[in-house]
Amino acid sequence: MATGFRYTARGIAGSLPSAERALLGKLFGDVIELLTGRQEVHALDDEVDPLYALTGMRPSDAQLPVPSDPAVHRLLPDASQDPELAAEFRRLTEADLLSEKLGRLREGQLLLESEKVHFVDTAQATRFAQALNDVRLVLATRLEIEDEADAERIGQVLDAAEVQTQEDYLALVYNLVSWLQDSLMSALLNEQA
Amino acid sequence: MTVMPDVYEQTESQVVQEKSWRLIVWNDPVNLMSYVSYVFRSYFGFTREKAEHLMMCVHQDGHCVVRSGSKEKIESDVHAMHGFGLQATMTQEV
């Protein structure tokens, strides 16, 4: 079992067994794939003024559809309960949010390649926590965690020996990621204290 | 030698008081309490007490107004919250 992340005199670090690092790297990769799939929806028609592509903006008549995959929708949620305002917000900002999330996930993947994950500063540890959280959000959507009772039920799957179904395995992975995230939060909160 | 014409500034302007916007963060069963609390402290610069209080407010009441301000400011807050994976929306005060 890994020891998770710790706040040390030389910053926040964690040593993870190679199997866990490989698993996490794979999970980060899955979320990257989901988000790059969404980026394809952003492509503009050929007739649209190329200036839009250069500036990264979208014309007002080129609204982005709400993501059909609930996991992608959870990563790129609606900014308002007013559908018009939410659509406008999505059109203007989703591309940035996507590339920010992708950047953090790719940075995280790189960090996981070394045996000891050592963050250069708090900002980097925070970005890793954000990427880890995106992984948790996707897993939670797949596990259909919709309320506290669901979360509690899933949280009880802790013993690898008892895993029987695909869902059990997913739950086990989710709990591992949650535990890592929580250890990283303790380390970050300790640093702030 | 020439003189530039005087430019009179438009001194009378109509100030339309725009109603401010609110940032609402919604509860969800996935985000860890420690994480939400950390986000409130690190992004908004709230004290530990204020961050914990707001986190509990979100957790217990289902949603909470975290702060209010101009449309631009709240838009950038919503964007940042989505970056952290928190469910956040904006609404204009009535």
Side-chain angles (χ1 to χ4, degrees), chain A residues 79 101 126 133 136 182 192, chain B residues 30-31 34 38 41 82 85 90:
Chain A
K101 283 185 185 276
T126 304
N133 205 57
R136 292 184 68 248
D182 202 40
Q192 280 191 348
Chain B
V30 179
N31 285 318
S34 55
Y38 176 72
R41 277 172 75 172
H82 290 179
M90 57 192 291

Side-chain angles (χ1 to χ4, degrees), chain A residues 40-124:
Chain A
E40 285 164 23
V41 178
H42 283 242
L44 290 166
D45 286 344
D46 289 343
E47 302 100 68
V48 175
D49 188 334
L51 196 59
Y52 281 111
L54 274 176
T55 55
M57 293 174 87
R58 299 184 71 78
S60 52
D61 60 355
Q63 300 279 25
L64 287 164
V66 171
S68 50
D69 179 342
V72 178
H73 194 195
R74 183 62 189 81
L75 294 177
L76 309 166
D78 301 327
S80 172
Q81 291 175 299
D82 169 356
E84 229 171 275
L85 185 65
E88 184 73 349
F89 193 90
R90 191 174 287 287
R91 177 176 71 83
L92 295 171
T93 66
E94 190 184 277
D96 285 342
L97 187 60
L98 262 175
S99 62
E100 288 158 16
K101 283 185 185 276
L102 281 167
R104 287 189 288 260
L105 286 156
R106 290 188 177 123
E107 183 188 22
Q109 260 191 331
L110 273 179
L111 280 165
L112 287 165
E113 281 177 13
S114 33
E115 211 163 306
K116 197 166 168 83
V117 180
H118 192 156
F119 301 113
V120 290
D121 55 19
T122 310
Q124 192 182 43

Side-chain angles (χ1 to χ4, degrees), chain A residues 29-38 69 71-72 75 138 142:
Chain A
D30 290 345
V31 181
I32 289 171
E33 206 175 301
L34 272 182
L35 293 178
T36 43
R38 175 65 180 175
D69 179 342
V72 178
L75 294 177
V138 171
R142 300 292 182 237

Side-chain angles (χ1 to χ4, degrees), chain B residues 28-69:
Chain B
D28 72 79
V30 179
N31 285 318
L32 300 171
M33 289 163 101
S34 55
Y35 180 72
V36 176
S37 196
Y38 176 72
V39 170
F40 287 171
R41 277 172 75 172
S42 64
Y43 175 77
F44 298 108
F46 292 156
T47 59
R48 182 183 204 123
E49 290 70 32
K50 183 162 184 190
E52 300 257 315
H53 171 77
L54 281 168
M55 181 274 289
M56 285 313 288
C57 165
V58 171
H59 184 67
Q60 285 166 348
D61 300 347
H63 66 275
C64 203
V65 176
V66 172
R67 69 170 165 185
S68 56

